């Protein structure tokens, strides 16, 4: 067995993208702490990865919409020996019309997609900054750029993940801590449950391919990764336009002339 690259704590490891991260990181020599609500799934994956790669794999049952459970995982990030990486994969999409009864689910989604991700990132950031080493990977979504009907809360949560992760990366740049935000398009997983996906089948990527691509991007030093964006110039144009916008509203505190009566 190769020497350990330290523990990676992966949330949402019971299915989809998180399970794929767990497998790929074990293959690359990481020991693992797997977090989700479905403990049976975590135990089964842990057995499989121990057998395949001989790594230490621990499991933690936690509902990340539940504050005491988040605090438990924060504590692990702060005190467990040799944690080198956090992958915030746990997430859900409470999709549907804002006026439907399902709107109540939006609050629960924000607890996982935004609050838990923030608290766990900050716990890891504090430890990694002190150690001057460590990696945080946060899973966003291209939906961050698609404020469409029936996805207001989800789109907003993923725009948050993008901005929060980038700001954290800027803050930790001097500390030798890496913060990567991964912005997948549609991925084959349990995300859509038994509901029909709003995207055509040809747009979907497998979870393993998504993770392999994002890990190559990480090695290449790409802190914002769009795995299926074929032309990076499209993202560069957004960045340039954003810079122009910031410049535009950094000129004066006066109302713009178009609002004069
Ligand atoms: N699939 C896509 O098309 C797509 C595209 C862009 C971004 N994403 C993002 O990718 C991430 C992973 O999603 P996925 O596609 O892999 O979907 P998935 O197969 O449904 O996996 C979601 C994971 O999140 C965990 N989770 C959900 N609610 C939780 C809670 N309250 N507490 C703890 N864990 C919870 C689930 O575990 P338990 O149910 O066992 O708790 C599961 O492991 C999400 O952040 C999602 O927004 C997905």
């Amino acid at each position: 067995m190769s020497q350990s690259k330290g523990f990676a704590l992966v949330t949402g490891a019971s299915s989809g993208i998180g399970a794929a991260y767990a497998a790929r990181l074990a293959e690359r020599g990481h020991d693992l702490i797997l977090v989700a609500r479905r403990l049976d799934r975590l135990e089964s994956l842990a057995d499989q990865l121990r057998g395949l790669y001989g790594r230490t794999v621990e499991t933690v049952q936690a509902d990340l919409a539940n504050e005491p459970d988040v605090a438990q995982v924060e504590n692990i990030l702060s005190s467990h020996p040799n944690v080198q990486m956090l992958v915030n994969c746990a997430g859900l999409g409470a999709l549907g019309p804002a006026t439907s009864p399902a709107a109540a689910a939006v609050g629960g989604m924000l607890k996982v997609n935004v609050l838990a991700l923030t608290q766990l990132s900050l716990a890891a950031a504090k430890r990694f900054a002190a150690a001057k080493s460590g990696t945080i990977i946060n899973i966003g979504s291209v939906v961050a750029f698609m404020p469409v009907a029936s996805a207001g809360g989800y789109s907003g949560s993923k725009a948050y993940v993008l901005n929060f992760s980038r700001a954290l990366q800027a803050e930790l740049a001097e500390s030798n801590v890496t913060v990567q935000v991964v912005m997948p398009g549609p991925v084959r997983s349990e995300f859509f449950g038994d509901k029909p996906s709003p995207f055509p089948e040809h747009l979907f990527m497998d979870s393993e391919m998504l993770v392999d691509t994002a890990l190559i991007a990480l090695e290449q030093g790409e802190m914002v990764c769009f795995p299926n964006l074929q032309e990076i110039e499209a993202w560069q144009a957004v960045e340039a336009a954003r810079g122009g916008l910031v410049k535009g509203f950094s000129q004066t505190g006066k109302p713009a002339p178009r609002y004069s009566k």
Side-chain angles (χ1 to χ4, degrees), residues 124-141:
K126 195 169 170 190
R127 177 176 184 166
F128 295 167
K132 295 213 173 300
S133 151
T135 302
I136 298 169
I137 299 172
N138 288 336
I139 307 301
S141 167

Side-chain angles (χ1 to χ4, degrees), residues 7 12 19 58 72-73 83 101 114-115 127 147 150 156 197 200 207 222 227 240 252 255-256:
F7 278 87
E58 300 173 12
Q72 180 200 357
V73 182
V83 175
V114 172
L115 277 181
R127 177 176 184 166
S150 292
S197 149
S207 293
E222 199 176 84
T252 173

Side-chain angles (χ1 to χ4, degrees), residues 10-20 35-42 60-66 69-70 88-93 108-109 111-113 116-117 138-143 154 157-158 161 182-193 197 199 204-205 207 210:
V10 182
T11 72
S14 59
S15 68
I17 298 169
V35 178
R37 291 169 301 184
R38 289 172 292 178
L39 189 59
D40 55 335
R41 293 277 200 105
L42 296 182
V60 178
Q61 185 173 34
D63 180 348
L64 297 177
N66 181 16
D69 287 17
V70 178
N88 273 310
C89 241
L92 64 155
M109 173 186 69
K111 284 184 186 167
V112 179
N113 293 12
L117 177 139
N138 288 336
I139 307 301
S141 167
V142 294
V143 176
Y154 183 63
S157 76
K158 293 302 181 177
V161 172
V182 179
M183 306 292 283
V187 177
R188 285 183 199 92
S189 70
E190 297 175 17
F191 184 80
F192 293 104
S197 149
F199 302 107
F204 276 79
M205 193 182 276
S207 293
L210 184 273

Side-chain angles (χ1 to χ4, degrees), residues 60-257:
V60 178
Q61 185 173 34
D63 180 348
L64 297 177
N66 181 16
E67 178 55 37
D69 287 17
V70 178
Q72 180 200 357
V73 182
E74 279 183 276
N75 188 41
I76 293 168
L77 284 167
S78 305
S79 59
H80 190 288
N82 204 18
V83 175
Q84 297 285 341
M85 181 181 279
L86 165 66
V87 185
N88 273 310
C89 241
L92 64 155
L95 307 173
T99 51
S100 78
V106 172
M109 173 186 69
L110 295 178
K111 284 184 186 167
V112 179
N113 293 12
V114 172
L115 277 181
L117 177 139
T118 302
Q119 287 177 239
L120 300 185
S121 295
L122 295 178
K126 195 169 170 190
R127 177 176 184 166
F128 295 167
K132 295 213 173 300
S133 151
T135 302
I136 298 169
I137 299 172
N138 288 336
I139 307 301
S141 167
V142 294
V143 176
F145 296 97
M146 298 162 66
V148 292
S150 292
Y154 183 63
S155 168
S157 76
K158 293 302 181 177
Y160 174 90
V161 172
L162 176 62
N163 274 9
F164 170 74
S165 303
R166 297 189 75 191
L168 197 59
Q169 172 66 86
E171 198 172 322
L172 297 176
E174 302 297 312
S175 308
N176 195 36
V177 178
T178 299
V179 184
Q180 186 196 43
V181 56
V182 179
M183 306 292 283
V187 177
R188 285 183 199 92
S189 70
E190 297 175 17
F191 184 80
F192 293 104
D194 48 15
K195 297 204 182 96
S197 149
F199 302 107
E201 178 57 27
H202 75 274
L203 290 183
F204 276 79
M205 193 182 276
D206 286 337
S207 293
E208 291 75 16
M209 189 177 285
L210 184 273
V211 171
D212 288 339
T213 308
L215 288 173
I216 289 170
L218 184 69
E219 281 164 11
Q220 292 177 348
E222 199 176 84
M223 295 304 108
V224 183
C225 166
F226 295 89
N228 70 334
L229 179 65
Q230 304 298 307
E231 308 291 343
I232 195 63
E233 289 77 9
W235 170 236
Q236 289 165 347
V238 169
E239 282 290 87
R242 192 177 61 79
L245 185 66
V246 171
K247 191 174 170 198
F249 51 57
S250 304
Q251 307 293 313
T252 173
K254 292 181 198 154

